[in-house]
Amino acid sequence: AQAQAPASCTSQDAMVVGYHPGGLAASVSLISSILSMTLSLNRSLLLWRKAEWFYADEAECPDKQMSCYFLPWHTCADASVDSFSEGAFHLKLEESATTRGVQAFAWVPPHHAHKGIFWWRSVLNRFLFRLNDKMARELSIPSVMQRLGLETNKYIGVHVRLGDSCVKWQELFQGDCISVQLHIAHTRFVAGRYGISRV
């Protein structure tokens, strides 16, 4: 969080990213990847306010920004962020075969390297997607977690996709669709690694 409170909000200290127009999970993944990259370069990540978030409801969020739902990522004033123009210091990236293996995207702080990239991305996502007070009240997540019996227990959530995501994976990365059996095998590995018994 300290890195997201820069002394100045200029292109020397920050980078601006626009929204990813794909699925929600892809958007989350790419934004956290770019945050990791900016941290590795000792810069702050700002959100380009001239872009609109695809998932924002215009009726309740006229400017269609993530700030309608989540706490701010940074301490820079809107005017500073709006002064950035699309160009040398504006990142507009798509996840592809050329970006997936980029070292900066796979970067983990050296003193946390032993915890792995999955842990690091989880930390980044927890920071990026903190609900603001309005959304927290509306969703009432603690009471939902309590009703589901998940409030005090560790658990793993698994999302298996064998449709359009498979086709995209094969076309972009010449990879194979991940079978349900392989999902189960990896889930068991993570469960054993972190001592989790609920899926």
Side-chain angles (χ1 to χ4, degrees):
Q2 184 178 355
Q4 288 297 105
S8 69
C9 299
T10 64
S11 58
Q12 286 73 35
D13 300 299
M15 290 186 177
V16 176
V17 61
Y19 291 111
H20 183 276
L24 181 59
S27 302
V28 168
S29 175
L30 188 61
I31 291 172
S32 64
S33 299
I34 296 174
L35 177 58
S36 182
M37 182 176 71
T38 57
L39 291 174
S40 73
L41 299 173
N42 198 30
R43 291 189 177 188
S44 299
L45 176 65
L46 311 181
L47 187 60
W48 200 45
R49 287 164 30 83
K50 296 176 184 177
E52 295 181 343
W53 192 36
F54 178 77
Y55 292 96
D57 182 354
E58 191 170 5
E60 65 178 10
C61 182
D63 59 355
K64 302 195 74 173
Q65 298 296 308
M66 291 181 75
S67 56
C68 292
Y69 309 98
F70 304 103
L71 292 174
W73 296 352
H74 52 78
T75 57
C76 295
D78 290 347
S80 297
V81 180
D82 292 344
S83 68
F84 277 75
S85 60
E86 188 170 4
F89 296 100
H90 181 276
L91 298 176
K92 196 172 184 181
L93 302 176
E94 292 283 345
E95 189 171 24
S96 67
T98 58
T99 62
R100 182 172 289 272
V102 172
Q103 185 58 35
F105 275 33
W107 181 79
V108 178
H111 54 288
H112 289 306
H114 65 286
K115 297 180 181 178
I117 192 169
F118 178 79
W119 173 86
W120 177 233
R121 289 292 182 83
S122 298
V123 170
L124 296 176
N125 284 327
R126 185 174 183 177
F127 168 75
L128 288 169
F129 302 103
R130 296 163 297 150
L131 295 175
N132 61 28
D133 290 342
K134 177 179 179 296
M135 284 303 298
R137 287 194 302 271
E138 186 173 330
L139 295 177
S140 187
I141 290 177
S143 63
V144 173
M145 296 286 282
Q146 188 175 28
R147 288 200 304 273
L148 294 175
L150 301 174
E151 192 176 33
T152 57
N153 297 291
K154 295 179 180 178
Y155 61 92
I156 299 171
V158 181
H159 181 190
V160 180
R161 294 183 64 180
L162 297 175
D164 63 305
S165 183
C166 268
V167 175
K168 180 180 178 182
W169 180 263
Q170 290 174 323
E171 289 178 350
L172 289 179
F173 309 111
Q174 291 76 53
D176 296 322
C177 288
I178 301 175
S179 66
V180 173
Q181 290 73 21
L182 196 54
H183 276 84
I184 293 173
H186 284 284
T187 301
R188 284 176 173 160
F189 172 80
V190 173
R193 179 74 175 270
Y194 296 99
I196 300 173
S197 60
R198 306 184 71 177
V199 179

